[in-house]
Amino acid sequence: MEHDLSPATLAELRRPRPYPAVSVLTPTHRREPLNTQDAVRLRNAVAEAKKKLEADPAVTRDRRADVALQLDRALSEVDLSHSEDGLAIFAAPGEHQVWSLARAVPERIVLSDTFLTRNLVSAHTAQRPFWVLSVSADRCTLWSGGVDRVVEERAGGFPLIREQRNFDPERQEWIGDQPSAFRSEDTRRFLRDADTALGKLLRHHPRPLYVTGEPAALSLLGEAGSVAGDAVHVPHGGLAHGTPEAVWQAVRPVLEAEARRSTEDVARSLESARGRKEFAAGVDELWQSAREGRIRLLAVEENYRITVRDAGEHLIVAEDGDLDARADIVDEIVEQCLETGAEVRFVPDGTLGDADGMAAVLRY
């Protein structure tokens, strides 16, 4: 299952496909007892997608068989033992993808000439992904992080391992000689190579970067490299050989402090916008402003969802089962804002007070 939505990947997902490009969205659950029905719900959703293919006169027999096969292959690749909060299956003639999402999605099946990406974009933005590079004199390990965990990422040549004869970092640390390992030219070259590899990865997969290591390693990295040298440094050794949980516990306080500062910045920006008459709230006003490209900053509470339906010139609150109900309007607004260059910030529930879950600073 896919997780990393890079700009290049998103562009590829959004390109037109031969009709039909099928998008199957379904909510999933991380824990029991809610996750016990996920497999049944997913199979039913795929079966319903096949029914839509059968009923669509614009789909030829050969394409129907091809896309149905792609749906079956996608279904076989789903691993619900590692479920998050939503799942997206994309299938088109000759291809399929399965995406796990760390944000709830409405149950939905769409046949079009493009895949439905707005829930994917919103989930990726809410996840606030980041990289952690853990460095030591003999190993540089890359970790991919989200809102509640990190996992090792084997990409871009990582982990980088420095082969040395008679090199025993544990013994050096035990006898108090560890800092000397960071005075050698070989170590400097090794860390410079890690910085170069990281720079290449960041060009294709840009994210905030944190670097962990002994103070001496961080100091040398700042001298030898440029990309990692400009990252947020977390002085904590041993994590290049550590566990995901150890890395998460080391960077978590830094992330939480940054999140608090970010939330405070958003609150100040919104309050200032009120005084300048550049403040907007309410799903209908925000949807219209987003389509007009007027939003400069959009703030969304993390678990805010609302269902609406189109009443002509305006959106009105609706029930999930209503005709033409749009249960993912928040994700639509998020994607539209990102498309027009707005900054989107997800903040803790209750942060926005009377703004009712979502508010914006307007450009004009």
Side-chain angles (χ1 to χ4, degrees), residues 255-271:
L255 296 170
E256 290 176 344
E258 290 189 344
R260 285 192 298 270
R261 288 194 295 270
S262 176
T263 299
E264 292 167 358
D265 288 344
V266 169
R268 283 193 293 268
S269 295
L270 291 171
E271 187 61 31

Side-chain angles (χ1 to χ4, degrees), residues 331-345:
D331 289 354
E332 287 190 55
I333 293 172
V334 167
E335 185 180 48
Q336 184 64 40
C337 285
L338 292 170
E339 285 288 314
T340 56
E343 181 180 5
V344 177
R345 301 272 197 96

Side-chain angles (χ1 to χ4, degrees), residues 267-282:
R268 283 193 293 268
S269 295
L270 291 171
E271 187 61 31
S272 177
R274 286 181 187 268
R276 300 192 307 272
K277 308 299 183 184
E278 295 174 355
F279 175 86

Side-chain angles (χ1 to χ4, degrees), residues 130-153:
F130 58 90
W131 296 117
V132 179
L133 181 68
S134 295
V135 300
S136 69
D138 68 325
R139 182 183 176 96
C140 292
T141 304
L142 183 68
W143 310 88
S144 175
V147 293
D148 59 359
R149 64 186 181 278
V150 301
V151 295
E152 185 176 353
E153 183 76 16

Side-chain angles (χ1 to χ4, degrees), residues 132-143 152-162 182 187-198 211-213 217 221 228 239-242:
V132 179
L133 181 68
S134 295
V135 300
S136 69
D138 68 325
R139 182 183 176 96
C140 292
T141 304
L142 183 68
W143 310 88
E152 185 176 353
E153 183 76 16
R154 293 182 174 267
F158 291 97
L160 292 183
I161 300 172
R162 177 185 174 195
F182 299 106
T187 303
R188 182 184 299 272
R189 188 179 304 110
F190 175 64
L191 294 182
R192 188 182 301 120
D193 290 344
D195 186 85
T196 299
L198 188 63
V211 182
T212 73
L221 189 64
L239 298 179
H241 297 269

Side-chain angles (χ1 to χ4, degrees), residues 209-212 218 227-234 254 258:
L209 174 65
Y210 301 84
V211 182
T212 73
L218 297 180
V227 176
D230 293 334
V232 176
H233 287 190
V234 181
V254 179
E258 290 189 344

